[in-house]
């Protein structure tokens, strides 16, 4: 195994998103996954039916024990549902995890439409986490909330990425899966290299539960393994696309991906 990834995120009882998707992704890509669980959720492919938040101090205890012992080459954050949790994680990033790259997935709403971030926590996310992000991975609805812009085109995605980047992130990947049309465009803004785009045909599928978690963890694994950001994003996107294409078609709602498909072309 190469690349130690510490994941701070919520548990998904259906196994398709959250910590469960993160662990599968990191492992299949050849990394080592450790976790600090931020919340328990009762959910399936049709929705989130319950959330039990973990005490922020216990979240940080999980993370610090991992960092003291095994260490980490990259951190990945997912569901950080409240202001106290966000403040605690920001403290970790400035403390035990200082200097470790971090991929921040600003999880706000689940694929099924359930809210996973308290409304009063958005401002804390913007002020405390964006400036600490090695790369931030919002989808279009999340990028609209963070940037305050309406996104209806590729040009809007670029503006949003630049505006979010100006808040302090080192890089921003605005994901285009929520856009209309047969092509999906993702926009990567990098403080050092500027704008680059990734474009491919959309795969028609309802099996998209956990795509954001999976992509962010795949990027984190690439960074942990020493890939530069562009290559980490390209490999992560290829992995997610194949996971969608070969999905098992489980559940009655937005089905899970096939996280275990063979990885080629690194």
């Amino acid at each position: 195994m190469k690349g130690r990834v510490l994941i701070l995120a919520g548990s998904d009882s259906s196994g398709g998103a959250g910590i469960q998707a993160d662990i599968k992704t990191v492992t299949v890509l050849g990394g080592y996954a450790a976790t600090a669980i931020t919340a328990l959720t009762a959910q399936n492919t049709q929705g989130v039916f319950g959330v039990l938040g973990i005490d922020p101090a216990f979240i940080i205890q999980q993370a610090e024990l991992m960092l003291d012992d095994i260490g980490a080459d990259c951190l990945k954050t997912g569901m950080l549902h409240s202001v106290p949790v966000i403040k605690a994680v920001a403290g970790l990033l400035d403390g035990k995890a200082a200097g470790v790259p971090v991929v921040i997935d600003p999880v706000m709403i689940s694929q099924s439409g359930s809210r996973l971030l308290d409304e009063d926590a958005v401002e804390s996310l913007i002020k405390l986490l964006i400036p600490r992000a090695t790369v931030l991975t919002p989808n279009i609805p999340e990028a609209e909330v963070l940037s305050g812009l309406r996104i209806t085109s590729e040009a809007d995605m670029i503006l949003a990425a630049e505006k979010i980047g100006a808040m302090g992130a080192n890089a921003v990947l605005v994901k285009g899966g929520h856009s209309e049309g047969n092509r999906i465009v993702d926009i990567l803004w990098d403080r050092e290299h500027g704008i680059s785009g990734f474009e491919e045909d959309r795969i028609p599928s309802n099996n998209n539960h956990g795509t954001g978690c999976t992509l962010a963890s795949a990027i984190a694994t690439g960074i942990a393994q020493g890939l530069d950001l562009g290559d980490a994003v390209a490999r992560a996107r290829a992995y997610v696309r194949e996971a969608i294409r070969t999905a098992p078609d489980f559940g009655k709602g937005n089905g899970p991906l096939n996280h275990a498909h063979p990885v080629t072309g690194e």
Side-chain angles (χ1 to χ4, degrees), residues 26 35 47-48 56 81 102 104 127 150 158 190 213 220 231 237:
V26 174
T35 64
V48 179
H81 54 285
V102 56
I104 293 178
K127 289 184 176 180
R150 177 83 173 116
I158 292 172
D190 184 301
C213 306
D231 289 340
R237 292 181 80 260

Side-chain angles (χ1 to χ4, degrees), residues 79-167:
M79 180 183 175
L80 306 177
H81 54 285
S82 69
V83 172
V85 171
I86 290 172
K87 287 181 176 179
V89 170
L92 176 76
L93 297 179
D94 288 344
K96 288 276 188 186
V100 180
V102 56
V103 177
I104 293 178
D105 184 15
V107 176
M108 296 182 183
I109 306 237
S110 72
Q111 190 67 46
S112 60
S114 301
R115 189 169 190 92
L116 298 175
L117 178 71
D118 293 348
E119 289 190 27
D120 65 350
V122 174
E123 183 178 352
S124 293
L125 190 156
I126 291 171
K127 289 184 176 180
L128 298 178
L129 293 186
I130 289 181
R132 292 168 170 84
T134 304
V135 57
L136 192 81
T137 62
N139 57 33
I140 285 177
E142 291 162 349
E144 288 182 330
V145 171
L146 296 175
S147 68
L149 301 174
R150 177 83 173 116
I151 299 174
T152 60
S153 66
E154 184 177 337
D156 293 339
M157 294 174 70
I158 292 172
L159 287 174
E162 291 174 337
K163 185 169 181 180
I164 296 168
M167 298 173 185

Side-chain angles (χ1 to χ4, degrees), residues 206-228:
N206 289 323
N207 297 304
N208 51 17
H209 183 64
T211 49
C213 306
T214 300
L215 183 70
S217 282
I219 294 170
T221 307
I223 293 172
Q225 293 170 336
L227 297 181
D228 67 36

Side-chain angles (χ1 to χ4, degrees), residues 54-105:
I54 304 300
D55 181 82
F58 190 67
I59 296 170
I60 301 308
Q61 184 181 16
Q62 295 175 71
E64 289 185 340
L65 287 169
M66 160 62 183
L67 292 166
D68 284 339
D69 184 19
I70 294 175
D73 301 300
C74 190
L75 273 65
K76 180 260 181 177
T77 71
M79 180 183 175
L80 306 177
H81 54 285
S82 69
V83 172
V85 171
I86 290 172
K87 287 181 176 179
V89 170
L92 176 76
L93 297 179
D94 288 344
K96 288 276 188 186
V100 180
V102 56
V103 177
I104 293 178
D105 184 15

Side-chain angles (χ1 to χ4, degrees), residues 172-220:
V172 180
L173 179 69
V174 179
K175 302 172 294 186
H178 286 76
S179 62
E180 300 293 332
N182 296 322
R183 301 285 287 174
I184 291 181
V185 178
D186 294 344
I187 295 296
L188 176 63
W189 173 88
D190 184 301
R191 186 169 300 280
E192 182 178 352
H193 300 105
I195 293 289
S196 54
F198 301 83
E199 183 175 0
E200 286 169 308
D201 290 333
R202 185 184 299 273
I203 300 173
S205 176
N206 289 323
N207 297 304
N208 51 17
H209 183 64
T211 49
C213 306
T214 300
L215 183 70
S217 282
I219 294 170

Side-chain angles (χ1 to χ4, degrees), residues 5-60:
V5 181
L6 172 58
I7 303 147
L8 297 93
S11 169
D12 171 10
S13 56
S14 79
I19 285 286
Q20 288 81 349
D22 298 326
I23 293 171
K24 295 173 191 178
T25 299
V26 174
T27 303
V28 168
L29 290 173
Y32 180 82
T35 64
I37 297 176
T38 61
L40 305 179
T41 69
Q43 65 175 291
N44 56 24
T45 65
Q46 299 178 82
V48 179
F49 300 91
V51 175
L52 178 62
I54 304 300
D55 181 82
F58 190 67
I59 296 170
I60 301 308

